[in-house]
Amino acid sequence: MQLAEVVEQTYGESTQQEARYRSALSTFAGVFGPGPVSIFRAPGRVNLIGEHTDYNHGFVLPVAIDRDILLLARPRADSSVNLHNTEPVFASRTFAVGFDIEPAEAGDWSNYVRGAAQMLAHHIERPLLGMDALVSAAPPQGTPRGAGVSSSSALTVVAALALAWLNDWSPERISFARQCSEAEWYVGTRGGIMDQFISLLALPEHALFLDCRPLGNGDYHLNHVPMPSGYRVLVANTGIRHTNVGGEFNLRVAACRAGVACLRERVADITHLRDVQHIAWEELAHIVPEVMSVSQARERGADLANLPLRDPDALLRVRACCRHVHSENRRVQAAVDALSAGDVTRVGELLDEAHTSARDDYDVSCPELEAMVNAVKKIDGTYGARLTGAGWGGCVVALVHQDALLDVESILPELYGASTGIEPHVFVCQPSSRAEHLLTLSV
Ligand code: NG1
């Protein structure tokens, strides 16, 4: 197949995308010389609904977005990985594939590729070939960074996919997605599985229902849910960068684990809030105290090991946090039903309820997220609006009818800017396809 055909198959007709690929190919030839080159891509994602459920073994419903990372690669005869980036702020890097790859300094872009390479070295039981590789991830077609659309996981996935393919290793996708999520721990965060799963398993025009509870055999229950035609996914970045390394994220995790300890009174041996999902909340609420301190939660038997918590007197809003997780899991299931029935109005209501629950029960909103949600709601043709990702900043997600796209792109930044003084980054996307090797050609 020719490049133009592959690009059209992946994005629909797009002269910008074709120009982006041609420019990356010519940069590759300039940096690494003429010869064969293989092209890989991995999409970023946005979570439609299912927030703070993944680490409670609950449900999520992400979509892959049509903003992706390209990696162009040629295998080497040795184990070196030579990395070049089309954006000059990301300096070129070299390392050797192996069991124990030395990390670059914290925050360095190459660490995502190092993590992927080290993971593969542990899974492929033979010496691995390295690669000469060019990464192209610049917006607008690339995944924006720090915008809550998981550009980091897309880089991990595309690097792992390329190295696996160049080394003739074709793993089964679900276990590969799990391996990629573990590969990302290399950079020092202990994230969940959602981002790598959606990047590797997405279908065009579908969301992915993912049950984050592993089945005994290492498998997961997942289900592709068709998105209604004529609608797009709106992602509106507040411009407030959130970080999960501050103490608040861990306090929410601790509140859930405290809830688990208390709920053992009702169901012995439970390990995650997921284990009480089948019981009506009204039967559970009184078992969970409204508030507990970190030290009270420990005394009650909460498993807070490996969770850095600075202040033993910090208060955990245990009942409200557990209520959020319980109700959110049910909303995810209801959203799957509504999407499958093409009932966009119902999906919008569920997104709105999810936002209220995240704000009032989980307490993870902030004034800018509220301003963005309110601004989105003022535009006809939008359905629901909720914070997506951990909260405290980042993005709002909504569904939008295709007839309202122009309004969204012009009016939304004005409305949000007027109430916050911040110029937001707003984009509309179509659910995209999974990470793939697209083509091998000569330059
Ligand atoms: P974001 O804020 O998109 O990085 C974080 C967690 C997710 C999930 C959400 C809340 C990491 C890397 N990511 O997402 O796994 O828990 O918060 O739903 O920890």
Side-chain angles (χ1 to χ4, degrees):
M1 226 192 295
Q2 297 299 310
L3 180 65
E5 276 175 80
V6 169
V7 169
E8 188 175 343
Q9 213 172 57
T10 310
Y11 308 96
E13 206 177 311
S14 167
T15 45
Q16 288 105 322
Q17 287 288 6
E18 202 181 323
R20 171 193 187 211
Y21 276 74
R22 294 209 183 279
S23 154
L25 285 165
S26 100
T27 307
F28 186 95
V31 175
F32 297 114
V37 53
S38 299
I39 307 177
F40 304 84
R41 74 175 275 276
R45 66 94 181 103
V46 63
N47 191 17
L48 267 189
I49 190 164
E51 226 58 81
H52 294 281
T53 46
D54 58 353
Y55 51 84
N56 291 300
H57 277 185
F59 309 136
V60 292
L61 189 66
V63 294
I65 60 172
D66 51 10
R67 314 286 155 126
D68 54 14
I69 295 191
L70 305 185
L71 188 144
L72 279 56
R74 177 182 296 157
R76 291 182 55 86
D78 61 17
S79 63
S80 287
V81 173
N82 297 321
L83 289 176
H84 190 83
N85 197 306
T86 56
E87 293 172 88
V89 288
F90 299 108
S92 297
R93 298 281 184 241
T94 293
F95 64 89
V97 184
F99 282 136
D100 203 3
I101 301 172
E102 181 77 20
E105 68 181 38
D108 190 275
W109 71 285
S110 71
N111 282 338
Y112 294 98
V113 184
R114 290 171 202 252
Q118 181 171 289
M119 176 276 281
L120 287 176
H122 284 265
H123 287 286
I124 307 179
E125 285 155 358
R126 56 190 151 83
L128 291 189
L129 300 182
M131 60 180 175
D132 290 335
L134 172 80
V135 170
S136 164
Q141 293 97 353
T143 45
R145 283 176 295 275
V149 295
S150 213
S151 57
S152 52
S153 298
L155 180 52
T156 303
V157 163
V158 79
L161 195 68
L163 272 172
W165 193 88
L166 296 173
N167 280 284
D168 276 331
W169 192 57
S170 37
E172 186 278 319
R173 285 250 167 177
I174 292 184
S175 50
F176 192 52
R178 195 180 37 74
Q179 288 155 1
C180 285
S181 73
E182 289 167 16
E184 207 169 318
W185 297 348
Y186 180 92
V187 305
T189 54
R190 196 111 189 149
I193 59 167
M194 165 166 64
D195 302 350
Q196 300 79 9
F197 269 68
I198 181 67
S199 194
L200 278 161
L201 293 151
L203 276 184
E205 302 308 329
H206 285 71
L208 179 72
F209 170 80
L210 174 62
D211 180 342
C212 297
R213 160 147 285 180
L215 303 170
N217 54 5
D219 208 354
Y220 286 84
H221 172 62
L222 47 86
N223 180 19
H224 291 95
V225 185
M227 294 290 286
S229 64
Y231 295 85
R232 303 276 172 83
V233 179
L234 164 67
V235 182
N237 189 354
T238 58
I240 304 295
R241 256 190 115 111
H242 77 295
T243 153
N244 296 336
V245 290
E248 288 295 324
F249 188 92
N250 286 345
L251 286 173
R252 300 303 182 282
V253 180
C256 294
R257 294 193 189 171
V260 168
C262 300
L263 288 162
R264 290 207 180 103
E265 201 178 281
R266 167 73 195 252
V267 187
D269 299 332
I270 69 168
T271 58
H272 292 80
L273 287 179
R274 166 61 182 285
D275 297 309
V276 295
Q277 194 58 45
H278 59 290
I279 303 174
W281 173 250
E282 294 66 35
E283 290 180 39
L284 301 172
H286 67 280
I287 305 172
V288 185
E290 228 166 284
V291 178
M292 287 170 101
S293 68
V294 167
S295 52
Q296 283 169 332
R298 279 207 178 93
E299 280 158 30
R300 189 76 184 255
D303 175 13
L304 304 184
N306 77 31
L307 193 61
L309 295 164
R310 285 186 284 255
D311 178 6
D313 296 325
L315 292 180
L316 308 173
R317 293 172 62 250
V318 183
R319 189 181 295 164
C321 285
C322 293
R323 182 167 53 215
H324 166 76
V325 174
H326 193 274
S327 62
E328 185 78 348
N329 279 326
R330 295 198 169 190
R331 280 186 290 273
V332 176
Q333 290 176 302
V336 169
D337 293 343
L339 277 177
S340 308
D343 187 347
V344 179
T345 304
R346 179 71 189 130
V347 177
E349 287 165 6
L350 290 161
L351 297 191
D352 288 339
E353 287 168 24
H355 181 73
T356 305
S357 176
R359 179 190 62 207
D360 298 344
D361 274 351
Y362 224 65
D363 191 21
V364 294
S365 190
C366 66
E368 293 81 4
L369 281 168
E370 293 309 307
M372 188 64 90
V373 164
N374 291 334
V376 172
K377 284 179 177 307
K378 288 195 180 121
I379 301 174
D380 285 344
T382 63
Y383 293 81
R386 58 172 287 272
L387 67 86
T388 182
W392 301 287
C395 294
V396 164
V397 66
L399 288 186
V400 56
H401 191 270
Q402 60 193 16
D403 292 346
L405 297 185
L406 286 177
D407 281 355
V408 163
E409 279 166 357
S410 61
I411 303 174
L412 186 56
E414 254 175 57
L415 288 172
Y416 179 73
S419 59
T420 59
I422 301 170
E423 195 182 322
H425 177 204
V426 173
F427 57 97
V428 175
C429 23
Q430 238 164 335
S432 145
S433 53
R434 66 186 200 173
E436 288 289 7
H437 162 249
L438 295 180
L439 183 69
T440 296
L441 68 172
S442 274
V443 287

